[in-house]
Amino acid sequence: RPTGPAGLRLAAKYTVDAVARDERGHRAARHTAFTTYVPEHRFIGYFRPEDRSTVGTGMIVSLDFNRPVTDRAAVERAVRVTAEPRTEVAAHWFGPGRLDFRPRAYWKPGTKVTLDLRLRDVRGAARAYGIQQKKVAFTIGRSQVSTVDAAAHTMTVVRDGRRIATLPVTAGGPKNPTYNGKLVVSEKYDVTRMNGDTVGFGGEYDIEDVPHAMRLTASGTFLHGNYWAPPGTFGSANTSHGCVGLRDEQGGSPATPAGWFFGKTLIGDVVEVVNSRDGSVAPDNGLSGWNMPWERWRAGSALR
């Protein structure tokens, strides 16, 4: 069962035409065909970010596999993340289903990054072989890091080392404080529905039209527009179920703090929360791997 680019393809039919000549000059020809091993299962990795996208300096390359990977070393060897200018990038496994890549510090603006998936016919687990052969390229945009001070009820936005705004916010209330730590914007929605049933809050809220929503964690932390809280809430009180809210209008307005920030934000931008009553976000909750020390991150590679 050969695998990889140097061997035969799996689940493929090959034909062989051979001609032999003996010492007397007699010739014999043989035609035959065979089919290589057909894997019982195939696996793929759902990757972030998207091909040809421009992302923030905090972007972490993340692969979620549709089947558990038991041969992590083989799979990791088949995935390469390279950058120009040259940047050291390390891999870290979060269990058998997720493989992330990041540099030691945030990417430098303008860096060109390539994700090379060479998983076709790579054995990831018993009777499970990869199917992808694909390159994904993306570019690191300008630097933007926003710091939410939950105690001061403010968010300071720093673009390329210069403060461009300080916005009033409302963070998680006493019963549901916002996570501390470095969070990364992984999704953006002009409008989305937020239902407490989906994140363990029962029927405490169900808002069908939350504007300017930016996902910060897989567990449901968003930075979003808020039109239902009294205007005086922003900058003075923490009232949410763990999200960070900016003043907005119903339907969303580009002229509000939420609309302005949404327009200035890229997938991959960093939002760091400080002075909250909660603990630090887990490194595998969303793209939060920046909260793990570099040596510990590198130790999560299957090739070390």
Side-chain angles (χ1 to χ4, degrees):
R1 299 174 185 175
T3 63
L8 302 180
R9 291 274 304 276
L10 298 179
K13 183 177 182 180
Y14 290 87
T15 59
V16 179
D17 290 287
V19 178
R21 187 192 303 263
D22 66 16
E23 59 186 13
R24 297 182 180 182
H26 297 144
R27 301 175 63 185
R30 177 66 61 89
H31 173 86
T32 188
F34 65 91
T35 299
T36 55
Y37 172 65
V38 179
E40 184 176 347
H41 302 294
R42 289 291 202 175
F43 74 88
I44 62 172
Y46 299 101
F47 56 83
R48 289 181 287 184
E50 295 182 1
D51 190 23
R52 294 179 290 181
S53 59
T54 297
V55 299
T57 56
M59 189 69 216
I60 290 177
V61 178
S62 186
L63 290 165
D64 289 299
F65 297 104
N66 67 325
R67 294 185 181 278
V69 172
T70 56
D71 195 341
R72 299 186 191 182
V75 170
E76 190 176 325
R77 286 191 199 98
V79 181
R80 293 185 62 198
V81 177
T82 56
E84 181 61 40
R86 188 172 179 178
T87 307
E88 181 186 5
V89 179
H92 188 96
W93 286 89
F94 289 111
R98 178 174 167 182
L99 175 61
D100 283 11
F101 294 83
R102 52 157 274 215
R104 180 190 294 267
Y106 299 148
W107 301 98
K108 292 182 179 179
T111 300
K112 307 292 184 181
V113 185
T114 300
L115 166 64
D116 189 1
L117 295 171
R118 297 173 292 174
L119 292 169
R120 181 178 294 162
D121 295 346
V122 172
R123 182 182 183 276
R127 299 183 299 279
Y129 290 78
I131 199 171
Q132 288 163 299
Q133 197 79 12
K134 183 178 181 63
K135 281 190 176 181
V136 178
F138 60 95
T139 302
I140 306 300
R142 81 293 173 273
S143 169
Q144 181 169 293
V145 177
S146 303
T147 302
V148 173
D149 188 328
H153 317 296
T154 61
M155 180 172 71
T156 301
V157 184
V158 175
R159 171 79 64 88
D160 293 325
R162 184 176 66 89
R163 180 170 60 87
I164 61 172
T166 298
L167 305 174
V169 302
T170 180
K175 293 183 179 180
N176 303 291
T178 306
Y179 290 121
N180 285 293
K182 300 176 179 70
L183 311 171
V184 174
V185 176
S186 60
E187 296 173 337
K188 291 179 63 181
Y189 301 98
D190 292 319
V191 61
T192 192
R193 179 180 179 180
M194 292 188 178
N195 187 331
D197 284 329
T198 64
V199 288
F201 288 117
E204 293 187 31
Y205 61 87
D206 185 3
I207 305 170
E208 296 183 348
D209 59 347
V210 178
H212 296 133
M214 292 155 277
R215 179 181 289 276
L216 300 179
T217 70
S219 61
T221 308
F222 279 78
L223 197 161
H224 61 78
N226 181 324
Y227 65 81
W228 52 90
T233 303
F234 305 95
S236 64
N238 291 330
T239 61
S240 82
H241 286 77
C243 291
V244 177
L246 290 165
R247 184 177 60 80
D248 209 339
E249 297 176 3
Q250 190 165 15
S253 168
T256 62
W260 176 87
F261 185 74
F262 187 88
K264 296 290 184 182
T265 297
L266 294 173
I267 299 294
D269 280 348
V270 177
V271 177
E272 183 170 4
V273 179
V274 299
N275 297 325
S276 175
R277 296 182 179 181
D278 204 353
S280 182
V281 64
D284 62 344
N285 191 355
L287 302 177
S288 301
W290 300 107
N291 298 282
M292 182 181 291
W294 178 240
E295 289 307 317
R296 184 180 161 203
W297 179 272
R298 294 174 72 241
S301 166
L303 302 181
R304 295 183 63 80

